[in-house]
Amino acid sequence: MKSIPAMHRVLADDRVAPYDVLLGRNAVKRAAEEALGRARASGAADYDAIVDELTDRLETMRQETLRVVINGTGIILNTNLGRAPLATDALHAVEAIATGYTNLEYDLSRGERGSRYARLAGVLNAVTGAQDSLVVNNCAAAVLLVLDTFAKGREVIVARNQLVEIGGGFRIPDVLARSGATLIEVGTTNRTYVEDFERALSPRTALLLRTHPSNYRIEGFTRDVSARELVELGRRTGVPVVEDLGSGALVDLAEFGIAPEPTVQEAVAAGIGLVTFSGDKLLGGPQAGVVAGKAHLIAPLKNNPLLRALRVGKMTLAALDSTLQCYRSGTFRERLPVVRMLAATIAELRHRGGAYLAALPNARLTESDAYVGGGSLAAERIASIAVAFESGNPDRLAARLREATLPIVGRVERGRLLLDLRTILPADDGAAIATLVGVMSPA
Ligand SMILES: *Cc1c(COP(=O)(O)O)cnc(C)c1O
């Protein structure tokens, strides 16, 4: 029997050693033990074959971990790529809060237990105009909490044209069923009137619900019930109105030449009782869900035992707080990456593209369509600039870029690979170019 190579020799091999930094010495050691064990069992002791098998395994492990990627898809709020990149200030806030102790659930003035859910109520109320607010893990959790609190065993009236699936399997009818509420659909696929809601009212009605149709749009002969109409009906009949906004824009997007999206402030000002929205969509913060609205409707949410299962961590609260402070102080245009991406001009994108062209002889710049994504305004196009690669097999090039040490995700369109500059953070241009040069140069 040939002798199995020594562990220390395998670990010191130039092909294996770089994985120490990437995966940790212990993980590499364990994988090496397994590879040597298999070699021993099968009696196959060829040194290179063992190292090849080991590096394949280590490479797979590396691909599986959570890693930094460059988003060249042009979709700003790309759920697959982690939605909103955090602001540097938010990151510093997380660091400060997470590396020590905090008043997470401690009331400093009274010296007794406080509530984590209400930690951000001050800034949220200031920014949204709501009387009170509550933070949970994501917007789906916010909707679930609201329905579970108010509608269990009762009825919720929703317009048929708003009963959509927003991706990731989130469907209002399913969440309603899960919370034990009965869905009462009103209107037709294209047209709904406030009278449709009124006719469906019964003593069992718990809520009137509006949802953001998100990534779906009905055009042509359509009619929707406005927030004001629904609020007026709610006022007359004493039934609370809830609106799931999803994206939670806190600024008027018309400023960036994008179709206006109802803001949280507008929904609150229209008199909606409870508004739910995400932290990591247009708001530009961490994954979180917010319920903002009238104090007498927020109060029962705080007493729902389900809240415990939906609770947010201190790192989320720190990042969300910092992000919201950017809106309060009016510095969101400079500080929030999502807003900067929305605001970048074509001239700025072209200027950045020059650096790509200088380093990559086979690249050229082309006009492209970027998208907001993330549910709301998913189909709303934003004129953009992409670096295009037209020669060779675009799918193969796309695959090689995805598998690079710093993966770059682009999109293949009409036989070309496009890397949209709007979603590549300017600070990443240098690293992206270096990766592209590495992948393009013949090995
Ligand atoms: C995105 C979205 C949600 C879900 O938000 P998460 O934060 O991902 O849970 C719910 N409702 C609408 C309308 C959305 O657009």
Side-chain angles (χ1 to χ4, degrees):
M1 220 178 98
K2 278 199 269 177
S3 69
I4 302 294
M7 175 75 132
H8 65 85
R9 184 177 165 210
V10 172
L11 291 179
D13 190 290
D14 282 350
R15 290 163 287 177
V16 175
Y19 286 97
D20 280 359
V21 190
L22 297 166
L23 297 169
R25 178 80 170 176
N26 283 338
V28 175
K29 235 174 166 167
R30 217 171 308 126
E33 272 161 17
E34 285 164 14
L36 292 174
R38 277 190 296 274
R40 207 168 287 122
S42 68
D46 179 64
Y47 177 76
D48 281 324
I50 292 171
V51 169
D52 281 349
E53 198 223 310
L54 174 59
T55 50
D56 277 356
R57 174 74 200 119
L58 293 171
E59 188 53 30
T60 306
M61 284 164 65
R62 189 177 69 90
Q63 301 275 352
E64 283 165 356
T65 56
L66 191 58
R67 297 162 68 198
V68 171
V69 310
I70 300 232
N71 176 10
T73 64
I75 301 168
I76 296 176
L77 298 168
N78 195 316
T79 301
N80 295 351
L81 301 184
R83 291 197 187 153
L86 277 189
T88 314
D89 301 85
L91 188 69
H92 291 328
V94 171
E95 189 181 16
I97 290 293
T99 50
Y101 294 101
T102 91
N103 63 338
L104 182 64
E105 288 192 356
Y106 186 70
D107 186 323
L108 288 168
S109 55
R110 295 201 206 140
E112 58 190 42
R113 193 165 192 278
S115 167
R116 75 169 68 207
Y117 307 102
R119 275 286 159 252
L120 303 196
V123 64
L124 273 168
N125 300 347
V127 168
T128 64
Q131 291 172 356
D132 199 3
S133 40
L134 186 69
V135 182
V136 288
N137 236 326
N138 56 23
C139 184
V143 173
L144 178 65
L145 180 67
V146 168
L147 295 178
D148 184 87
T149 305
F150 293 99
K152 197 178 278 185
R154 301 183 66 197
E155 295 174 354
V156 176
I157 309 178
V158 192
R160 185 164 280 123
N161 65 1
Q162 295 188 340
L163 288 175
V164 298
E165 173 177 321
I166 55 147
F170 183 85
R171 296 171 168 188
I172 287 287
D174 294 345
V175 181
L176 271 164
R178 188 39 59 164
S179 54
T182 303
L183 167 67
I184 307 292
E185 288 179 50
V186 299
T188 59
T189 305
N190 58 333
R191 292 172 77 86
T192 312
Y193 303 87
V194 73
E195 292 78 16
D196 294 322
F197 276 84
E198 189 154 13
R199 270 195 296 274
L201 284 167
S202 86
R204 288 164 45 82
T205 308
L207 300 172
L208 305 175
L209 179 65
R210 263 167 75 81
T211 64
H212 192 295
S214 294
N215 43 12
Y216 175 75
R217 189 152 51 190
I218 304 175
E219 281 171 22
F221 187 56
T222 61
R223 174 74 169 69
D224 278 323
V225 180
S226 72
R228 286 194 186 280
E229 285 176 296
L230 215 53
V231 166
E232 175 49 33
L233 177 62
R235 217 181 329 251
R236 266 197 290 124
T237 56
V239 180
V241 180
V242 172
E243 177 155 18
D244 176 26
L245 275 180
S247 209
L250 292 175
V251 291
D252 184 1
L253 297 173
E255 179 181 331
F256 309 112
I258 298 165
E261 170 83 349
T263 61
V264 177
Q265 296 92 312
E266 281 164 3
V268 168
I272 300 282
L274 293 174
V275 180
T276 55
F277 54 96
S278 289
D280 57 354
K281 291 187 180 173
L282 277 170
L283 199 149
Q287 179 189 308
V290 177
V291 193
K294 299 200 155 63
H296 73 278
L297 297 173
I298 295 284
L301 300 177
K302 294 181 183 169
N303 295 324
N304 187 334
L306 184 60
L307 186 56
R308 174 64 181 80
L310 310 176
R311 84 178 188 187
V312 275
K314 59 186 176 182
M315 293 196 270
T316 300
L317 289 174
L320 186 58
D321 188 9
S322 165
T323 306
L324 290 166
Q325 298 297 349
C326 294
Y327 288 99
R328 176 132 89 170
S329 63
T331 55
F332 57 90
R333 285 182 202 80
E334 304 87 66
R335 294 196 173 166
L336 300 184
V338 165
V339 179
R340 284 211 303 263
M341 284 180 188
L342 285 171
T345 64
I346 293 292
E348 285 163 3
L349 298 177
R350 276 195 188 280
H351 178 74
R352 282 175 46 210
Y356 288 75
L357 297 193
L360 300 153
N362 58 337
R364 57 181 216 87
L365 296 186
T366 182
E367 290 175 0
S368 83
D369 290 328
Y371 296 89
V372 177
S376 54
L377 292 171
E380 183 67 26
R381 264 181 281 190
I382 312 171
S384 190
I385 296 294
V387 180
F389 298 93
E390 301 183 334
S391 53
N393 179 331
D395 293 309
R396 196 172 316 141
L397 178 56
R400 283 170 61 206
L401 287 174
R402 287 197 309 269
E403 287 160 13
T405 306
L406 173 61
I408 302 180
V409 184
R411 69 172 195 270
V412 173
E413 202 177 274
R414 283 181 276 131
R416 307 176 299 174
L417 174 70
L418 300 185
L419 302 178
D420 199 303
L421 289 172
R422 192 173 289 280
T423 51
I424 298 178
L425 295 162
D428 287 344
D429 282 338
I433 291 168
T435 291
L436 286 163
V437 168
V439 167
M440 300 292 168
S441 60

